[in-house]
Amino acid sequence: MAWFKRNIQLLTFFIFVFLVLPTLVVGDCTCDPGDDVRDKAKALRYKIAALVSILICSAVGVCIPFLGKIIPALSPEKDIFFVTKAFAAGVILATGFIHVLPDAFNDLTSPCLNAHPWGDFPFTGFVAMCTAMGTLMVDTYATAYFQKYHFKDTQVETADLEKEPGHEGHVHVHTHATHGHAHGNVLSESSELLRHRVISQVLELGIVVHSVIIGISVGASENPKTIKPLVAALTFHQFFEGMGLGSCITQAKLKTLSVTIMGLFFALTTPLGIAIGIGITNVYHENSPTALIVQGTFNAASSGILIYMALVDLLAADFMSPRMQKSGRLQLGANLSLLIGAGCMSLLAKWA
């Protein structure tokens, strides 16, 4: 589909931008760096361990939902899929609220920034709000565009059918009604499929943004005490976030090449961010005004995307579905799974 190919190209462009721009956030730090204990050699060992463990766990996490073809219990038709997806959605929701959004507030309200304009207006909440609304608009317009495009194809096929011999009188009316009903089902299924594709791409965009920022921050740090707890925390974070993204990609029923590209983007972004951070360690200053503004803006935008996607596209879509509403057992399992996922991710804020 031409529309989907254009979106993949757009996603690639955005990811390229998000990988390049953070390397520019260098400058002179205007604040006291504090009592950081720097040990470049020891910190580098932790960084390499983080890079390897995050890469492996990200790849495993995003691939687990695809095992439904091998392990029937993990297929989207089974209840366990919804329970697992609820857990992953809880992780993503807590990531947006507990990890990303507070970091954005800290960056954009830092004393290292000028009081004007940064102290005059809550830019963090404003950026997050605008990004959430922008995500809603992308969802709406993309779905509406596809429905309109597909409806034109349906009209053409129906017109062709009416020209076929043997479709006159009562037989014609009966066949036409049946044909129209079939097209209605196809349109509904196609709209749902498109929605899952839009969700998977936008969700990956939000994840990639904050993953790059996190990776650069870890890679640029020279304090082993800061990096050490992040290794386990980020590994857990990326594993379950990958499960959430993988679940969305599975439901989107993309082609193998598209699935591979999206999986690689997710698995490689944080390790690539760490590698970039290691490369710019000597010139990167996390408290420089430029670094704070870029990091804070990207984190605020990422939190808006993640919170919207988790609440609207992942949780509301499943929890309000007829399948969930008809099964009290499935509702209980999904709610518990959601609370556990959000709770575990929130607990990690103590170390990350």
mmCIF file of all heavy atoms in Angstrom, residues 260-292:
data_model
loop_
_atom_site.group_PDB
_atom_site.id
_atom_site.type_symbol
_atom_site.label_atom_id
_atom_site.label_comp_id
_atom_site.label_asym_id
_atom_site.label_seq_id
_atom_site.Cartn_x
_atom_site.Cartn_y
_atom_site.Cartn_z
ATOM 1 N N THR A 260 10.404 -6.721 10.327
ATOM 2 C CA THR A 260 11.836 -6.773 10.625
ATOM 3 C C THR A 260 12.409 -5.381 10.842
ATOM 4 O O THR A 260 13.189 -5.145 11.782
ATOM 5 C CB THR A 260 12.592 -7.467 9.474
ATOM 6 O OG1 THR A 260 12.044 -8.776 9.268
ATOM 7 C CG2 THR A 260 14.079 -7.591 9.799
ATOM 8 N N ILE A 261 12.034 -4.439 9.974
ATOM 9 C CA ILE A 261 12.531 -3.069 10.096
ATOM 10 C C ILE A 261 12.093 -2.442 11.416
ATOM 11 O O ILE A 261 12.901 -1.839 12.142
ATOM 12 C CB ILE A 261 12.045 -2.207 8.911
ATOM 13 C CG1 ILE A 261 12.706 -2.666 7.611
ATOM 14 C CG2 ILE A 261 12.344 -0.729 9.159
ATOM 15 C CD1 ILE A 261 12.178 -1.976 6.367
ATOM 16 N N MET A 262 10.815 -2.590 11.759
ATOM 17 C CA MET A 262 10.304 -1.993 12.985
ATOM 18 C C MET A 262 10.924 -2.644 14.216
ATOM 19 O O MET A 262 11.247 -1.977 15.207
ATOM 20 C CB MET A 262 8.779 -2.101 13.033
ATOM 21 C CG MET A 262 8.084 -1.278 11.956
ATOM 22 S SD MET A 262 6.279 -1.338 12.049
ATOM 23 C CE MET A 262 5.977 -0.339 13.509
ATOM 24 N N GLY A 263 11.104 -3.964 14.175
ATOM 25 C CA GLY A 263 11.751 -4.655 15.285
ATOM 26 C C GLY A 263 13.188 -4.219 15.480
ATOM 27 O O GLY A 263 13.647 -4.003 16.607
ATOM 28 N N LEU A 264 13.918 -4.062 14.362
ATOM 29 C CA LEU A 264 15.312 -3.620 14.445
ATOM 30 C C LEU A 264 15.418 -2.191 14.959
ATOM 31 O O LEU A 264 16.302 -1.871 15.760
ATOM 32 C CB LEU A 264 15.969 -3.727 13.063
ATOM 33 C CG LEU A 264 16.341 -5.137 12.603
ATOM 34 C CD1 LEU A 264 16.876 -5.101 11.172
ATOM 35 C CD2 LEU A 264 17.401 -5.744 13.535
ATOM 36 N N PHE A 265 14.525 -1.301 14.505
ATOM 37 C CA PHE A 265 14.528 0.076 14.990
ATOM 38 C C PHE A 265 14.395 0.106 16.510
ATOM 39 O O PHE A 265 15.124 0.811 17.199
ATOM 40 C CB PHE A 265 13.386 0.875 14.360
ATOM 41 C CG PHE A 265 13.751 1.541 13.069
ATOM 42 C CD1 PHE A 265 12.842 1.598 12.025
ATOM 43 C CD2 PHE A 265 15.001 2.115 12.888
ATOM 44 C CE1 PHE A 265 13.169 2.213 10.819
ATOM 45 C CE2 PHE A 265 15.337 2.736 11.694
ATOM 46 C CZ PHE A 265 14.418 2.784 10.660
ATOM 47 N N PHE A 266 13.440 -0.682 17.017
ATOM 48 C CA PHE A 266 13.234 -0.680 18.468
ATOM 49 C C PHE A 266 14.436 -1.255 19.205
ATOM 50 O O PHE A 266 14.912 -0.683 20.193
ATOM 51 C CB PHE A 266 11.988 -1.491 18.823
ATOM 52 C CG PHE A 266 11.848 -1.725 20.300
ATOM 53 C CD1 PHE A 266 11.415 -0.705 21.138
ATOM 54 C CD2 PHE A 266 12.170 -2.955 20.859
ATOM 55 C CE1 PHE A 266 11.306 -0.899 22.503
ATOM 56 C CE2 PHE A 266 12.052 -3.169 22.220
ATOM 57 C CZ PHE A 266 11.621 -2.140 23.044
ATOM 58 N N ALA A 267 14.926 -2.406 18.738
ATOM 59 C CA ALA A 267 16.018 -3.082 19.450
ATOM 60 C C ALA A 267 17.315 -2.290 19.430
ATOM 61 O O ALA A 267 18.103 -2.354 20.381
ATOM 62 C CB ALA A 267 16.240 -4.472 18.845
ATOM 63 N N LEU A 268 17.540 -1.518 18.363
ATOM 64 C CA LEU A 268 18.832 -0.849 18.194
ATOM 65 C C LEU A 268 18.880 0.582 18.729
ATOM 66 O O LEU A 268 19.982 1.112 18.934
ATOM 67 C CB LEU A 268 19.211 -0.823 16.708
ATOM 68 C CG LEU A 268 19.515 -2.178 16.055
ATOM 69 C CD1 LEU A 268 19.759 -2.001 14.563
ATOM 70 C CD2 LEU A 268 20.725 -2.833 16.709
ATOM 71 N N THR A 269 17.733 1.221 18.961
ATOM 72 C CA THR A 269 17.769 2.647 19.292
ATOM 73 C C THR A 269 18.473 2.949 20.612
ATOM 74 O O THR A 269 19.328 3.832 20.675
ATOM 75 C CB THR A 269 16.351 3.246 19.326
ATOM 76 O OG1 THR A 269 15.484 2.361 20.036
ATOM 77 C CG2 THR A 269 15.820 3.461 17.939
ATOM 78 N N THR A 270 18.114 2.235 21.689
ATOM 79 C CA THR A 270 18.771 2.502 22.973
ATOM 80 C C THR A 270 20.260 2.143 22.927
ATOM 81 O O THR A 270 21.100 2.949 23.359
ATOM 82 C CB THR A 270 18.074 1.745 24.115
ATOM 83 O OG1 THR A 270 16.702 2.146 24.177
ATOM 84 C CG2 THR A 270 18.726 2.069 25.449
ATOM 85 N N PRO A 271 20.647 0.948 22.421
ATOM 86 C CA PRO A 271 22.083 0.666 22.292
ATOM 87 C C PRO A 271 22.805 1.683 21.410
ATOM 88 O O PRO A 271 23.943 2.075 21.711
ATOM 89 C CB PRO A 271 22.106 -0.730 21.649
ATOM 90 C CG PRO A 271 20.834 -1.362 22.084
ATOM 91 C CD PRO A 271 19.835 -0.249 22.088
ATOM 92 N N LEU A 272 22.156 2.120 20.320
ATOM 93 C CA LEU A 272 22.782 3.124 19.461
ATOM 94 C C LEU A 272 22.921 4.449 20.206
ATOM 95 O O LEU A 272 23.927 5.147 20.067
ATOM 96 C CB LEU A 272 21.945 3.316 18.196
ATOM 97 C CG LEU A 272 22.534 4.240 17.126
ATOM 98 C CD1 LEU A 272 23.913 3.761 16.692
ATOM 99 C CD2 LEU A 272 21.604 4.313 15.918
ATOM 100 N N GLY A 273 21.907 4.791 21.022
ATOM 101 C CA GLY A 273 22.002 5.992 21.840
ATOM 102 C C GLY A 273 23.165 5.909 22.820
ATOM 103 O O GLY A 273 23.892 6.888 23.035
ATOM 104 N N ILE A 274 23.361 4.726 23.429
ATOM 105 C CA ILE A 274 24.493 4.528 24.341
ATOM 106 C C ILE A 274 25.802 4.701 23.595
ATOM 107 O O ILE A 274 26.751 5.339 24.097
ATOM 108 C CB ILE A 274 24.413 3.134 24.997
ATOM 109 C CG1 ILE A 274 23.188 3.045 25.905
ATOM 110 C CG2 ILE A 274 25.683 2.837 25.793
ATOM 111 C CD1 ILE A 274 22.946 1.664 26.484
ATOM 112 N N ALA A 275 25.883 4.123 22.390
ATOM 113 C CA ALA A 275 27.115 4.249 21.589
ATOM 114 C C ALA A 275 27.395 5.711 21.247
ATOM 115 O O ALA A 275 28.543 6.169 21.318
ATOM 116 C CB ALA A 275 26.987 3.415 20.318
ATOM 117 N N ILE A 276 26.340 6.462 20.886
ATOM 118 C CA ILE A 276 26.512 7.891 20.594
ATOM 119 C C ILE A 276 26.977 8.624 21.844
ATOM 120 O O ILE A 276 27.869 9.480 21.795
ATOM 121 C CB ILE A 276 25.191 8.493 20.071
ATOM 122 C CG1 ILE A 276 24.841 7.923 18.698
ATOM 123 C CG2 ILE A 276 25.300 10.018 19.983
ATOM 124 C CD1 ILE A 276 23.478 8.349 18.184
ATOM 125 N N GLY A 277 26.374 8.287 22.987
ATOM 126 C CA GLY A 277 26.771 8.917 24.247
ATOM 127 C C GLY A 277 28.224 8.665 24.587
ATOM 128 O O GLY A 277 28.935 9.577 25.048
ATOM 129 N N ILE A 278 28.676 7.425 24.361
ATOM 130 C CA ILE A 278 30.087 7.112 24.610
ATOM 131 C C ILE A 278 30.982 7.940 23.702
ATOM 132 O O ILE A 278 32.037 8.443 24.111
ATOM 133 C CB ILE A 278 30.347 5.601 24.382
ATOM 134 C CG1 ILE A 278 29.602 4.770 25.440
ATOM 135 C CG2 ILE A 278 31.839 5.292 24.416
ATOM 136 C CD1 ILE A 278 29.667 3.267 25.203
ATOM 137 N N GLY A 279 30.559 8.110 22.454
ATOM 138 C CA GLY A 279 31.371 8.855 21.493
ATOM 139 C C GLY A 279 31.464 10.341 21.787
ATOM 140 O O GLY A 279 32.455 10.994 21.414
ATOM 141 N N ILE A 280 30.452 10.908 22.458
ATOM 142 C CA ILE A 280 30.461 12.353 22.712
ATOM 143 C C ILE A 280 30.658 12.669 24.196
ATOM 144 O O ILE A 280 30.350 13.775 24.650
ATOM 145 C CB ILE A 280 29.151 13.008 22.217
ATOM 146 C CG1 ILE A 280 27.938 12.467 22.993
ATOM 147 C CG2 ILE A 280 28.972 12.801 20.726
ATOM 148 C CD1 ILE A 280 26.632 13.173 22.657
ATOM 149 N N THR A 281 31.206 11.703 24.939
ATOM 150 C CA THR A 281 31.380 11.881 26.384
ATOM 151 C C THR A 281 32.156 13.141 26.715
ATOM 152 O O THR A 281 31.822 13.876 27.652
ATOM 153 C CB THR A 281 32.106 10.662 26.990
ATOM 154 O OG1 THR A 281 31.313 9.493 26.776
ATOM 155 C CG2 THR A 281 32.313 10.844 28.484
ATOM 156 N N ASN A 282 33.195 13.424 25.950
ATOM 157 C CA ASN A 282 34.083 14.550 26.275
ATOM 158 C C ASN A 282 33.477 15.908 25.960
ATOM 159 O O ASN A 282 33.963 16.928 26.454
ATOM 160 C CB ASN A 282 35.418 14.396 25.530
ATOM 161 C CG ASN A 282 36.188 13.172 25.994
ATOM 162 O OD1 ASN A 282 36.114 12.782 27.160
ATOM 163 N ND2 ASN A 282 36.932 12.558 25.072
ATOM 164 N N VAL A 283 32.440 15.957 25.134
ATOM 165 C CA VAL A 283 31.866 17.260 24.753
ATOM 166 C C VAL A 283 30.420 17.427 25.213
ATOM 167 O O VAL A 283 29.852 18.504 25.093
ATOM 168 C CB VAL A 283 31.927 17.461 23.217
ATOM 169 C CG1 VAL A 283 33.362 17.573 22.750
ATOM 170 C CG2 VAL A 283 31.203 16.332 22.482
ATOM 171 N N TYR A 284 29.842 16.359 25.736
ATOM 172 C CA TYR A 284 28.443 16.407 26.159
ATOM 173 C C TYR A 284 28.348 16.844 27.616
ATOM 174 O O TYR A 284 29.035 16.307 28.486
ATOM 175 C CB TYR A 284 27.811 15.023 25.994
ATOM 176 C CG TYR A 284 26.358 14.937 26.437
ATOM 177 C CD1 TYR A 284 25.330 15.176 25.551
ATOM 178 C CD2 TYR A 284 26.037 14.594 27.752
ATOM 179 C CE1 TYR A 284 23.998 15.079 25.945
ATOM 180 C CE2 TYR A 284 24.716 14.491 28.162
ATOM 181 C CZ TYR A 284 23.708 14.740 27.252
ATOM 182 O OH TYR A 284 22.406 14.643 27.651
ATOM 183 N N HIS A 285 27.515 17.820 27.878
ATOM 184 C CA HIS A 285 27.281 18.290 29.239
ATOM 185 C C HIS A 285 25.774 18.289 29.479
ATOM 186 O O HIS A 285 25.045 19.096 28.899
ATOM 187 C CB HIS A 285 27.854 19.694 29.444
ATOM 188 C CG HIS A 285 29.324 19.780 29.175
ATOM 189 N ND1 HIS A 285 30.266 19.229 30.018
ATOM 190 C CD2 HIS A 285 30.012 20.336 28.147
ATOM 191 C CE1 HIS A 285 31.484 19.460 29.531
ATOM 192 N NE2 HIS A 285 31.353 20.120 28.397
ATOM 193 N N GLU A 286 25.328 17.394 30.336
ATOM 194 C CA GLU A 286 23.888 17.207 30.515
ATOM 195 C C GLU A 286 23.193 18.419 31.119
ATOM 196 O O GLU A 286 21.971 18.550 31.010
ATOM 197 C CB GLU A 286 23.625 15.986 31.395
ATOM 198 C CG GLU A 286 24.204 16.088 32.795
ATOM 199 C CD GLU A 286 23.921 14.847 33.615
ATOM 200 O OE1 GLU A 286 23.313 13.902 33.060
ATOM 201 O OE2 GLU A 286 24.307 14.814 34.802
ATOM 202 N N ASN A 287 23.944 19.325 31.747
ATOM 203 C CA ASN A 287 23.337 20.512 32.342
ATOM 204 C C ASN A 287 23.481 21.770 31.482
ATOM 205 O O ASN A 287 23.162 22.871 31.942
ATOM 206 C CB ASN A 287 23.928 20.782 33.735
ATOM 207 C CG ASN A 287 23.456 19.770 34.763
ATOM 208 O OD1 ASN A 287 22.337 19.270 34.665
ATOM 209 N ND2 ASN A 287 24.302 19.446 35.719
ATOM 210 N N SER A 288 23.982 21.607 30.263
ATOM 211 C CA SER A 288 24.069 22.765 29.386
ATOM 212 C C SER A 288 22.661 23.160 28.939
ATOM 213 O O SER A 288 21.785 22.303 28.786
ATOM 214 C CB SER A 288 24.942 22.463 28.171
ATOM 215 O OG SER A 288 24.299 21.548 27.309
ATOM 216 N N PRO A 289 22.385 24.446 28.744
ATOM 217 C CA PRO A 289 21.039 24.876 28.342
ATOM 218 C C PRO A 289 20.523 24.174 27.089
ATOM 219 O O PRO A 289 19.357 23.777 27.026
ATOM 220 C CB PRO A 289 21.217 26.380 28.119
ATOM 221 C CG PRO A 289 22.341 26.760 29.032
ATOM 222 C CD PRO A 289 23.279 25.588 28.990
ATOM 223 N N THR A 290 21.397 24.024 26.087
ATOM 224 C CA THR A 290 20.960 23.375 24.847
ATOM 225 C C THR A 290 20.549 21.932 25.084
ATOM 226 O O THR A 290 19.521 21.469 24.585
ATOM 227 C CB THR A 290 22.083 23.424 23.791
ATOM 228 O OG1 THR A 290 22.515 24.758 23.625
ATOM 229 C CG2 THR A 290 21.596 22.859 22.465
ATOM 230 N N ALA A 291 21.361 21.204 25.881
ATOM 231 C CA ALA A 291 21.046 19.807 26.176
ATOM 232 C C ALA A 291 19.726 19.697 26.934
ATOM 233 O O ALA A 291 18.885 18.838 26.638
ATOM 234 C CB ALA A 291 22.175 19.179 26.985
ATOM 235 N N LEU A 292 19.537 20.573 27.913
ATOM 236 C CA LEU A 292 18.315 20.523 28.717
ATOM 237 C C LEU A 292 17.071 20.803 27.875
ATOM 238 O O LEU A 292 16.035 20.143 28.025
ATOM 239 C CB LEU A 292 18.405 21.528 29.863
ATOM 240 C CG LEU A 292 19.415 21.194 30.963
ATOM 241 C CD1 LEU A 292 19.583 22.392 31.899
ATOM 242 C CD2 LEU A 292 18.972 19.968 31.751
#
